[in-house]
Amino acid sequence: MRVFAEPLPAKLVWDEGELVALIVAGHRHTVVEQLRRWRIEADWWKEGVSRDYVTLRTADGLVCDVYGDRHSGAWWLQRVLD
């Protein structure tokens, strides 16, 4: 597993409600499966962490965790699983 000290900016591409691609560092990865989803909320009373996580598998074999910051709407690649 590779965890990034600073998560990498990412973009998720949706088509009619289905997640179809992950774009990181200018590379487009076709999503073939969402393995799991979960939400983390901490210190909500003071605008703390509020994230939606998704573990994805792509057509090129990448398995990774990305999260969306619920405050800003930005998505980030946090870790790549081996």
Side-chain angles (χ1 to χ4, degrees), residues 38-60:
W38 70 100
R39 178 172 287 169
I40 292 179
E41 302 220 31
D43 299 333
W44 56 267
W45 60 93
K46 59 180 181 179
E47 300 244 353
V49 173
S50 182
R51 297 176 178 170
D52 287 323
Y53 280 84
V54 183
T55 302
L56 306 173
R57 181 186 324 272
T58 66
D60 55 358

PDB file of all heavy atoms in Angstrom, residues 38-60:
ATOM      1  N   TRP A  38     -17.681   4.816   2.191  1.00  0.00           N
ATOM      2  CA  TRP A  38     -17.952   5.142   3.581  1.00  0.00           C
ATOM      3  C   TRP A  38     -17.787   6.640   3.798  1.00  0.00           C
ATOM      4  O   TRP A  38     -17.226   7.336   2.957  1.00  0.00           O
ATOM      5  CB  TRP A  38     -17.090   4.331   4.537  1.00  0.00           C
ATOM      6  CG  TRP A  38     -15.627   4.661   4.564  1.00  0.00           C
ATOM      7  CD1 TRP A  38     -14.972   5.432   5.482  1.00  0.00           C
ATOM      8  CD2 TRP A  38     -14.616   4.230   3.650  1.00  0.00           C
ATOM      9  NE1 TRP A  38     -13.633   5.508   5.201  1.00  0.00           N
ATOM     10  CE2 TRP A  38     -13.389   4.772   4.073  1.00  0.00           C
ATOM     11  CE3 TRP A  38     -14.623   3.448   2.507  1.00  0.00           C
ATOM     12  CZ2 TRP A  38     -12.193   4.558   3.402  1.00  0.00           C
ATOM     13  CZ3 TRP A  38     -13.437   3.232   1.834  1.00  0.00           C
ATOM     14  CH2 TRP A  38     -12.240   3.771   2.290  1.00  0.00           C
ATOM     15  N   ARG A  39     -18.300   7.117   4.907  1.00  0.00           N
ATOM     16  CA  ARG A  39     -18.237   8.546   5.230  1.00  0.00           C
ATOM     17  C   ARG A  39     -17.563   8.713   6.582  1.00  0.00           C
ATOM     18  O   ARG A  39     -17.785   7.928   7.507  1.00  0.00           O
ATOM     19  CB  ARG A  39     -19.647   9.127   5.279  1.00  0.00           C
ATOM     20  CG  ARG A  39     -19.673  10.600   5.653  1.00  0.00           C
ATOM     21  CD  ARG A  39     -21.054  11.177   5.512  1.00  0.00           C
ATOM     22  NE  ARG A  39     -21.332  11.312   4.080  1.00  0.00           N
ATOM     23  CZ  ARG A  39     -22.522  11.588   3.591  1.00  0.00           C
ATOM     24  NH1 ARG A  39     -23.552  11.760   4.391  1.00  0.00           N
ATOM     25  NH2 ARG A  39     -22.695  11.693   2.290  1.00  0.00           N
ATOM     26  N   ILE A  40     -16.750   9.772   6.684  1.00  0.00           N
ATOM     27  CA  ILE A  40     -16.117  10.128   7.952  1.00  0.00           C
ATOM     28  C   ILE A  40     -16.546  11.549   8.295  1.00  0.00           C
ATOM     29  O   ILE A  40     -16.447  12.448   7.450  1.00  0.00           O
ATOM     30  CB  ILE A  40     -14.577  10.041   7.863  1.00  0.00           C
ATOM     31  CG1 ILE A  40     -14.150   8.600   7.707  1.00  0.00           C
ATOM     32  CG2 ILE A  40     -13.935  10.686   9.085  1.00  0.00           C
ATOM     33  CD1 ILE A  40     -12.661   8.402   7.579  1.00  0.00           C
ATOM     34  N   GLU A  41     -17.031  11.712   9.514  1.00  0.00           N
ATOM     35  CA  GLU A  41     -17.370  13.044  10.010  1.00  0.00           C
ATOM     36  C   GLU A  41     -16.791  13.154  11.411  1.00  0.00           C
ATOM     37  O   GLU A  41     -17.050  12.311  12.261  1.00  0.00           O
ATOM     38  CB  GLU A  41     -18.879  13.242  10.045  1.00  0.00           C
ATOM     39  CG  GLU A  41     -19.490  13.048   8.685  1.00  0.00           C
ATOM     40  CD  GLU A  41     -20.580  14.023   8.361  1.00  0.00           C
ATOM     41  OE1 GLU A  41     -20.527  15.166   8.846  1.00  0.00           O
ATOM     42  OE2 GLU A  41     -21.471  13.634   7.622  1.00  0.00           O
ATOM     43  N   ALA A  42     -15.988  14.180  11.633  1.00  0.00           N
ATOM     44  CA  ALA A  42     -15.377  14.398  12.941  1.00  0.00           C
ATOM     45  C   ALA A  42     -15.462  15.888  13.273  1.00  0.00           C
ATOM     46  O   ALA A  42     -15.292  16.737  12.387  1.00  0.00           O
ATOM     47  CB  ALA A  42     -13.925  13.936  12.937  1.00  0.00           C
ATOM     48  N   ASP A  43     -15.707  16.181  14.511  1.00  0.00           N
ATOM     49  CA  ASP A  43     -15.796  17.571  14.972  1.00  0.00           C
ATOM     50  C   ASP A  43     -16.776  18.383  14.130  1.00  0.00           C
ATOM     51  O   ASP A  43     -16.535  19.538  13.808  1.00  0.00           O
ATOM     52  CB  ASP A  43     -14.412  18.239  14.962  1.00  0.00           C
ATOM     53  CG  ASP A  43     -13.423  17.552  15.876  1.00  0.00           C
ATOM     54  OD1 ASP A  43     -13.868  16.932  16.869  1.00  0.00           O
ATOM     55  OD2 ASP A  43     -12.216  17.633  15.609  1.00  0.00           O
ATOM     56  N   TRP A  44     -17.923  17.773  13.793  1.00  0.00           N
ATOM     57  CA  TRP A  44     -18.898  18.419  12.931  1.00  0.00           C
ATOM     58  C   TRP A  44     -19.384  19.746  13.494  1.00  0.00           C
ATOM     59  O   TRP A  44     -19.743  20.646  12.763  1.00  0.00           O
ATOM     60  CB  TRP A  44     -20.080  17.492  12.658  1.00  0.00           C
ATOM     61  CG  TRP A  44     -20.735  17.003  13.910  1.00  0.00           C
ATOM     62  CD1 TRP A  44     -20.451  15.834  14.570  1.00  0.00           C
ATOM     63  CD2 TRP A  44     -21.745  17.650  14.674  1.00  0.00           C
ATOM     64  NE1 TRP A  44     -21.225  15.725  15.694  1.00  0.00           N
ATOM     65  CE2 TRP A  44     -22.039  16.825  15.787  1.00  0.00           C
ATOM     66  CE3 TRP A  44     -22.447  18.849  14.534  1.00  0.00           C
ATOM     67  CZ2 TRP A  44     -22.989  17.155  16.743  1.00  0.00           C
ATOM     68  CZ3 TRP A  44     -23.398  19.181  15.492  1.00  0.00           C
ATOM     69  CH2 TRP A  44     -23.658  18.342  16.581  1.00  0.00           C
ATOM     70  N   TRP A  45     -19.373  19.884  14.811  1.00  0.00           N
ATOM     71  CA  TRP A  45     -19.863  21.104  15.446  1.00  0.00           C
ATOM     72  C   TRP A  45     -18.943  22.305  15.209  1.00  0.00           C
ATOM     73  O   TRP A  45     -19.325  23.430  15.412  1.00  0.00           O
ATOM     74  CB  TRP A  45     -20.061  20.894  16.941  1.00  0.00           C
ATOM     75  CG  TRP A  45     -18.789  20.503  17.640  1.00  0.00           C
ATOM     76  CD1 TRP A  45     -17.892  21.339  18.241  1.00  0.00           C
ATOM     77  CD2 TRP A  45     -18.250  19.202  17.773  1.00  0.00           C
ATOM     78  NE1 TRP A  45     -16.837  20.627  18.737  1.00  0.00           N
ATOM     79  CE2 TRP A  45     -17.031  19.296  18.472  1.00  0.00           C
ATOM     80  CE3 TRP A  45     -18.685  17.927  17.389  1.00  0.00           C
ATOM     81  CZ2 TRP A  45     -16.242  18.207  18.779  1.00  0.00           C
ATOM     82  CZ3 TRP A  45     -17.894  16.843  17.707  1.00  0.00           C
ATOM     83  CH2 TRP A  45     -16.685  16.993  18.392  1.00  0.00           C
ATOM     84  N   LYS A  46     -17.704  22.039  14.746  1.00  0.00           N
ATOM     85  CA  LYS A  46     -16.797  23.144  14.445  1.00  0.00           C
ATOM     86  C   LYS A  46     -16.226  23.040  13.026  1.00  0.00           C
ATOM     87  O   LYS A  46     -15.079  23.379  12.780  1.00  0.00           O
ATOM     88  CB  LYS A  46     -15.677  23.244  15.477  1.00  0.00           C
ATOM     89  CG  LYS A  46     -14.814  22.006  15.598  1.00  0.00           C
ATOM     90  CD  LYS A  46     -13.741  22.220  16.652  1.00  0.00           C
ATOM     91  CE  LYS A  46     -12.862  20.999  16.758  1.00  0.00           C
ATOM     92  NZ  LYS A  46     -11.818  21.163  17.737  1.00  0.00           N
ATOM     93  N   GLU A  47     -17.082  22.549  12.094  1.00  0.00           N
ATOM     94  CA  GLU A  47     -16.686  22.411  10.685  1.00  0.00           C
ATOM     95  C   GLU A  47     -15.415  21.592  10.519  1.00  0.00           C
ATOM     96  O   GLU A  47     -14.503  21.970   9.790  1.00  0.00           O
ATOM     97  CB  GLU A  47     -16.536  23.783  10.027  1.00  0.00           C
ATOM     98  CG  GLU A  47     -17.805  24.573  10.047  1.00  0.00           C
ATOM     99  CD  GLU A  47     -18.359  24.852   8.668  1.00  0.00           C
ATOM    100  OE1 GLU A  47     -17.700  24.552   7.673  1.00  0.00           O
ATOM    101  OE2 GLU A  47     -19.470  25.366   8.632  1.00  0.00           O
ATOM    102  N   GLY A  48     -15.364  20.452  11.212  1.00  0.00           N
ATOM    103  CA  GLY A  48     -14.205  19.561  11.129  1.00  0.00           C
ATOM    104  C   GLY A  48     -14.210  18.754   9.844  1.00  0.00           C
ATOM    105  O   GLY A  48     -14.762  19.164   8.834  1.00  0.00           O
ATOM    106  N   VAL A  49     -13.616  17.569   9.894  1.00  0.00           N
ATOM    107  CA  VAL A  49     -13.496  16.691   8.732  1.00  0.00           C
ATOM    108  C   VAL A  49     -14.870  16.133   8.359  1.00  0.00           C
ATOM    109  O   VAL A  49     -15.593  15.627   9.213  1.00  0.00           O
ATOM    110  CB  VAL A  49     -12.520  15.538   9.035  1.00  0.00           C
ATOM    111  CG1 VAL A  49     -12.502  14.527   7.909  1.00  0.00           C
ATOM    112  CG2 VAL A  49     -11.132  16.076   9.307  1.00  0.00           C
ATOM    113  N   SER A  50     -15.192  16.227   7.090  1.00  0.00           N
ATOM    114  CA  SER A  50     -16.420  15.648   6.551  1.00  0.00           C
ATOM    115  C   SER A  50     -16.083  15.151   5.146  1.00  0.00           C
ATOM    116  O   SER A  50     -15.956  15.947   4.214  1.00  0.00           O
ATOM    117  CB  SER A  50     -17.540  16.683   6.517  1.00  0.00           C
ATOM    118  OG  SER A  50     -18.730  16.098   6.044  1.00  0.00           O
ATOM    119  N   ARG A  51     -15.897  13.827   5.021  1.00  0.00           N
ATOM    120  CA  ARG A  51     -15.423  13.239   3.764  1.00  0.00           C
ATOM    121  C   ARG A  51     -16.236  12.013   3.368  1.00  0.00           C
ATOM    122  O   ARG A  51     -16.649  11.233   4.210  1.00  0.00           O
ATOM    123  CB  ARG A  51     -13.968  12.788   3.900  1.00  0.00           C
ATOM    124  CG  ARG A  51     -12.998  13.893   4.168  1.00  0.00           C
ATOM    125  CD  ARG A  51     -11.610  13.339   4.383  1.00  0.00           C
ATOM    126  NE  ARG A  51     -10.641  14.397   4.598  1.00  0.00           N
ATOM    127  CZ  ARG A  51      -9.410  14.186   5.002  1.00  0.00           C
ATOM    128  NH1 ARG A  51      -8.971  12.941   5.198  1.00  0.00           N
ATOM    129  NH2 ARG A  51      -8.595  15.204   5.192  1.00  0.00           N
ATOM    130  N   ASP A  52     -16.391  11.856   2.056  1.00  0.00           N
ATOM    131  CA  ASP A  52     -16.939  10.636   1.479  1.00  0.00           C
ATOM    132  C   ASP A  52     -15.789   9.896   0.813  1.00  0.00           C
ATOM    133  O   ASP A  52     -15.088  10.469  -0.030  1.00  0.00           O
ATOM    134  CB  ASP A  52     -18.007  10.949   0.431  1.00  0.00           C
ATOM    135  CG  ASP A  52     -19.292  11.442   1.051  1.00  0.00           C
ATOM    136  OD1 ASP A  52     -19.662  10.937   2.120  1.00  0.00           O
ATOM    137  OD2 ASP A  52     -19.939  12.321   0.452  1.00  0.00           O
ATOM    138  N   TYR A  53     -15.571   8.652   1.207  1.00  0.00           N
ATOM    139  CA  TYR A  53     -14.495   7.818   0.662  1.00  0.00           C
ATOM    140  C   TYR A  53     -15.075   6.773  -0.290  1.00  0.00           C
ATOM    141  O   TYR A  53     -16.174   6.268  -0.071  1.00  0.00           O
ATOM    142  CB  TYR A  53     -13.766   7.074   1.775  1.00  0.00           C
ATOM    143  CG  TYR A  53     -12.759   7.900   2.518  1.00  0.00           C
ATOM    144  CD1 TYR A  53     -13.148   8.721   3.568  1.00  0.00           C
ATOM    145  CD2 TYR A  53     -11.407   7.855   2.186  1.00  0.00           C
ATOM    146  CE1 TYR A  53     -12.223   9.481   4.264  1.00  0.00           C
ATOM    147  CE2 TYR A  53     -10.478   8.605   2.867  1.00  0.00           C
ATOM    148  CZ  TYR A  53     -10.891   9.414   3.907  1.00  0.00           C
ATOM    149  OH  TYR A  53      -9.962  10.170   4.587  1.00  0.00           O
ATOM    150  N   VAL A  54     -14.289   6.441  -1.314  1.00  0.00           N
ATOM    151  CA  VAL A  54     -14.645   5.382  -2.259  1.00  0.00           C
ATOM    152  C   VAL A  54     -13.378   4.601  -2.576  1.00  0.00           C
ATOM    153  O   VAL A  54     -12.337   5.193  -2.857  1.00  0.00           O
ATOM    154  CB  VAL A  54     -15.222   5.959  -3.578  1.00  0.00           C
ATOM    155  CG1 VAL A  54     -15.658   4.841  -4.501  1.00  0.00           C
ATOM    156  CG2 VAL A  54     -16.371   6.908  -3.315  1.00  0.00           C
ATOM    157  N   THR A  55     -13.473   3.277  -2.511  1.00  0.00           N
ATOM    158  CA  THR A  55     -12.387   2.417  -2.989  1.00  0.00           C
ATOM    159  C   THR A  55     -12.782   1.966  -4.387  1.00  0.00           C
ATOM    160  O   THR A  55     -13.865   1.411  -4.582  1.00  0.00           O
ATOM    161  CB  THR A  55     -12.180   1.198  -2.070  1.00  0.00           C
ATOM    162  OG1 THR A  55     -11.889   1.653  -0.751  1.00  0.00           O
ATOM    163  CG2 THR A  55     -11.032   0.327  -2.562  1.00  0.00           C
ATOM    164  N   LEU A  56     -11.890   2.225  -5.352  1.00  0.00           N
ATOM    165  CA  LEU A  56     -12.165   1.963  -6.761  1.00  0.00           C
ATOM    166  C   LEU A  56     -11.197   0.951  -7.345  1.00  0.00           C
ATOM    167  O   LEU A  56     -10.050   0.872  -6.927  1.00  0.00           O
ATOM    168  CB  LEU A  56     -11.990   3.255  -7.572  1.00  0.00           C
ATOM    169  CG  LEU A  56     -12.761   4.475  -7.143  1.00  0.00           C
ATOM    170  CD1 LEU A  56     -12.321   5.679  -7.954  1.00  0.00           C
ATOM    171  CD2 LEU A  56     -14.236   4.224  -7.299  1.00  0.00           C
ATOM    172  N   ARG A  57     -11.685   0.235  -8.367  1.00  0.00           N
ATOM    173  CA  ARG A  57     -10.813  -0.601  -9.205  1.00  0.00           C
ATOM    174  C   ARG A  57     -10.962  -0.070 -10.632  1.00  0.00           C
ATOM    175  O   ARG A  57     -12.084   0.157 -11.087  1.00  0.00           O
ATOM    176  CB  ARG A  57     -11.214  -2.069  -9.154  1.00  0.00           C
ATOM    177  CG  ARG A  57     -10.301  -2.959  -9.997  1.00  0.00           C
ATOM    178  CD  ARG A  57     -10.755  -4.411 -10.074  1.00  0.00           C
ATOM    179  NE  ARG A  57     -11.354  -4.936  -8.882  1.00  0.00           N
ATOM    180  CZ  ARG A  57     -10.705  -5.511  -7.860  1.00  0.00           C
ATOM    181  NH1 ARG A  57      -9.392  -5.616  -7.909  1.00  0.00           N
ATOM    182  NH2 ARG A  57     -11.359  -5.985  -6.823  1.00  0.00           N
ATOM    183  N   THR A  58      -9.821   0.120 -11.288  1.00  0.00           N
ATOM    184  CA  THR A  58      -9.865   0.650 -12.652  1.00  0.00           C
ATOM    185  C   THR A  58      -9.501  -0.433 -13.667  1.00  0.00           C
ATOM    186  O   THR A  58      -8.954  -1.471 -13.306  1.00  0.00           O
ATOM    187  CB  THR A  58      -8.905   1.851 -12.804  1.00  0.00           C
ATOM    188  OG1 THR A  58      -7.558   1.392 -12.660  1.00  0.00           O
ATOM    189  CG2 THR A  58      -9.212   2.942 -11.790  1.00  0.00           C
ATOM    190  N   ALA A  59      -9.782  -0.152 -14.923  1.00  0.00           N
ATOM    191  CA  ALA A  59      -9.522  -1.113 -15.998  1.00  0.00           C
ATOM    192  C   ALA A  59      -8.042  -1.441 -16.126  1.00  0.00           C
ATOM    193  O   ALA A  59      -7.680  -2.540 -16.549  1.00  0.00           O
ATOM    194  CB  ALA A  59     -10.051  -0.568 -17.322  1.00  0.00           C
ATOM    195  N   ASP A  60      -7.170  -0.500 -15.739  1.00  0.00           N
ATOM    196  CA  ASP A  60      -5.727  -0.754 -15.832  1.00  0.00           C
ATOM    197  C   ASP A  60      -5.146  -1.380 -14.563  1.00  0.00           C
ATOM    198  O   ASP A  60      -3.939  -1.443 -14.397  1.00  0.00           O
ATOM    199  CB  ASP A  60      -4.967   0.511 -16.228  1.00  0.00           C
ATOM    200  CG  ASP A  60      -5.242   1.689 -15.311  1.00  0.00           C
ATOM    201  OD1 ASP A  60      -6.048   1.564 -14.366  1.00  0.00           O
ATOM    202  OD2 ASP A  60      -4.655   2.757 -15.541  1.00  0.00           O
TER     203      ASP A  60
END
